[in-house]
Amino acid sequence: MTETLTPPLYNREDSTEESGIDTRIPSPTGRVLERAAVFLQDKADRVQQRAIVNEHSSAHTEALAEYREQNRGAYTDHLTRLSSPDNTNQPAREFGQRELHRENRREHREEMLDKAKSTMRKFGRSALNKLGKAGLITLGLGVIAGETAVKSTREAAKSAKVNIQSRRNERARAKQERADALRREAELRARAAAERKQARRERWAKRREGVAEKYNSVASFTKAQKGRLGHLAARAHASGQAAIDTWKNY
Amino acid sequence: MNQHPLITRELLDKFGISLEDRDETSFLEHLNSTLEERIGTEITESLDDDQLKALINLQENGSDEEIGAWIEQNVPELQQISQDEIDILLGEVAENSDTINKTQE
């Protein structure tokens, strides 16, 4: 992979064509060029390696996500093996450590959400009470459209000489039209609300991942920090494994 | 159940939904409790892990007032979350109003 740039050489006094041994020494300029070439080659190798890892990671991540869905226990075991200090493949080991940490956080979060499940209604009720009292939420449905329809119905009934049955029919028709208009408006509002909800959830997930990433840059940790992280990861793995076992036995 | 439910018989009437009394009561209870649950779910989704842990602790040890105050302080998008869940639920009711009425026939 690495091609070594041959530095320009000057003939040394003891070099000979017959011997075939090149005993020339690099000139000062040659040495500079040689160092520059090695530096650039090293940089290129690292960029290429990162690209390979990224490409590998991207396809790898998709496959792992699918694997995770199918068999969470085996997925976590796989990450544990990847992140093992015995794994000599550094990019894979770091990937494993990151994903294991992320998985442990995910499991911990899911445990907490499970605990909160029984009282989610309580949170929602509390929110509705507070916001309702403050007048901050509305049903916001077709007030203007309804008023217009009612007004035109009244005026039509006043001005026209119609019998009672016709007026009843007219009121029923107007009510049906109002209901149809209300439903259309409600469906439009619901679609817009669903899009906002999806965007919010994606933003929250990214924010959580961002916080997780801050603690995931293992490479920059000190030895003591790594030791603590390893201990925490082991504990998290144990609790994660316990959660998986519970899940398996559910 | 919420003392002042948001979704009422009047609202169902506006949507042109007409149910027998008993069915209407249980349907309204179902709608309002669904709304509360969905808002609660979104609230928990919006929290990071530390906040979620704090809320769970409060849920175990705090009063409803304290929980409400905490949520108000720590969920800046509470109003938008609640309004959107209301809109989504009402959209579902609107979309299925014919089906709901048909179950009475």
Side-chain angles (χ1 to χ4, degrees):
Chain A
M1 189 192 294
T2 306
E3 287 179 37
T4 313
L5 179 70
T6 309
L9 302 170
Y10 292 110
N11 284 328
R12 281 181 4 190
E13 287 174 6
D14 56 351
S15 68
T16 61
E17 283 185 24
E18 291 80 14
S19 69
I21 300 167
D22 191 344
T23 54
R24 294 177 297 172
I25 56 173
S27 71
T29 310
R31 280 199 206 97
V32 167
L33 288 174
E34 185 180 25
R35 279 201 301 274
V38 167
F39 173 76
L40 287 171
Q41 191 63 59
D42 187 47
K43 274 268 185 216
D45 285 347
R46 283 183 199 217
V47 167
Q48 190 173 15
Q49 183 63 20
R50 201 173 301 134
I52 291 169
V53 167
N54 284 345
E55 197 181 301
H56 172 76
S57 291
S58 171
H60 195 205
T61 304
E62 280 175 31
L64 278 178
E66 206 177 302
Y67 185 28
R68 180 180 179 269
E69 286 307 311
Q70 290 170 3
N71 190 336
R72 215 153 168 188
Y75 168 73
T76 317
D77 287 343
H78 174 73
L79 290 178
T80 306
R81 279 193 298 274
L82 272 183
S83 60
S84 162
D86 298 331
N87 184 2
T88 54
N89 183 337
Q90 191 191 346
R93 193 172 67 244
E94 285 176 4
F95 176 80
Q97 282 167 346
R98 265 199 318 275
E99 287 302 308
L100 188 62
H101 191 67
R102 191 177 290 167
E103 186 60 25
N104 286 332
R105 284 181 71 94
R106 207 178 286 156
E107 281 177 14
H108 181 57
R109 184 176 177 87
E110 282 174 12
E111 279 170 32
M112 285 198 289
L113 286 172
D114 258 342
K115 262 191 201 171
K117 219 171 192 172
S118 58
T119 44
M120 275 186 195
R121 270 192 60 193
K122 203 180 192 180
F123 303 153
R125 196 177 315 138
S126 178
L128 283 173
N129 279 336
K130 280 215 171 279
L131 293 170
K133 274 183 198 164
L136 290 172
I137 46 172
T138 60
L139 295 174
L141 295 173
V143 171
I144 295 168
E147 282 178 353
T148 309
V150 167
K151 199 174 168 188
S152 66
T153 306
R154 280 185 190 150
E155 281 178 351
K158 270 183 198 169
S159 63
K161 288 184 180 175
V162 291
N163 61 32
I164 294 172
Q165 188 56 45
S166 291
R167 282 204 294 271
R168 278 183 188 155
N169 291 343
E170 185 61 34
R171 276 199 294 271
R173 194 181 62 76
K175 188 179 175 185
Q176 185 60 48
E177 280 175 8
R178 281 199 303 277
D180 290 343
L182 219 62
R183 289 180 208 174
R184 281 193 297 272
E185 190 179 334
E187 285 172 31
L188 283 172
R189 285 178 68 101
R191 243 171 264 149
E195 280 172 18
R196 285 193 296 271
K197 179 177 174 174
Q198 179 64 27
R200 269 198 305 270
R201 282 205 167 197
E202 283 167 10
R203 197 170 12 98
W204 294 334
K206 273 189 188 151
R207 190 183 64 199
R208 279 197 297 272
E209 290 294 313
V211 169
E213 281 301 322
K214 194 174 151 188
Y215 295 101
N216 272 352
S217 51
V218 179
S220 65
F221 281 12
T222 64
K223 204 172 174 183
Q225 284 173 321
K226 281 183 190 175
R228 273 202 298 277
L229 184 62
H231 180 61
L232 283 171
R235 274 172 56 191
H237 175 70
S239 74
Q241 189 58 52
I244 291 162
D245 287 337
T246 306
W247 171 73
K248 273 189 201 165
N249 294 327
Y250 178 74
Chain B
M1 193 171 153
N2 197 330
Q3 286 178 345
H4 304 284
L6 201 70
I7 302 173
T8 58
R9 166 180 287 200
E10 286 71 29
L11 184 64
L12 293 185
D13 190 48
K14 279 188 183 174
F15 273 124
I17 293 173
S18 173
L19 298 173
E20 298 288 337
D21 279 351
R22 191 188 56 195
D23 290 337
E24 192 173 71
T25 305
S26 64
F27 184 53
L28 284 170
E29 273 176 21
H30 167 73
L31 288 178
N32 283 295
S33 63
T34 299
L35 180 62
E36 288 165 3
E37 196 171 318
R38 286 183 184 181
I39 291 174
T41 303
E42 286 306 287
I43 287 171
T44 52
E45 283 291 330
S46 75
L47 303 174
D48 63 37
D49 292 353
D50 292 334
Q51 288 174 316
L52 187 56
K53 199 173 175 185
L55 183 59
I56 289 169
N57 284 337
L58 194 59
Q59 156 203 323
E60 286 166 3
N61 305 312
S63 65
D64 287 2
E65 284 296 317
E66 285 169 331
I67 291 171
W70 189 97
I71 288 172
E72 216 177 3
Q73 245 184 342
N74 290 277
V75 184
E77 296 172 281
L78 183 62
Q79 184 189 350
Q80 191 65 69
I81 288 169
S82 304
Q83 189 64 65
D84 284 344
E85 288 302 329
I86 291 166
D87 289 346
I88 289 169
L89 186 63
L90 292 181
E92 289 170 5
V93 169
E95 208 175 338
N96 295 290
S97 52
D98 288 339
T99 311
I100 294 164
N101 277 329
K102 273 187 184 141
T103 60
Q104 292 297 294
E105 289 168 9

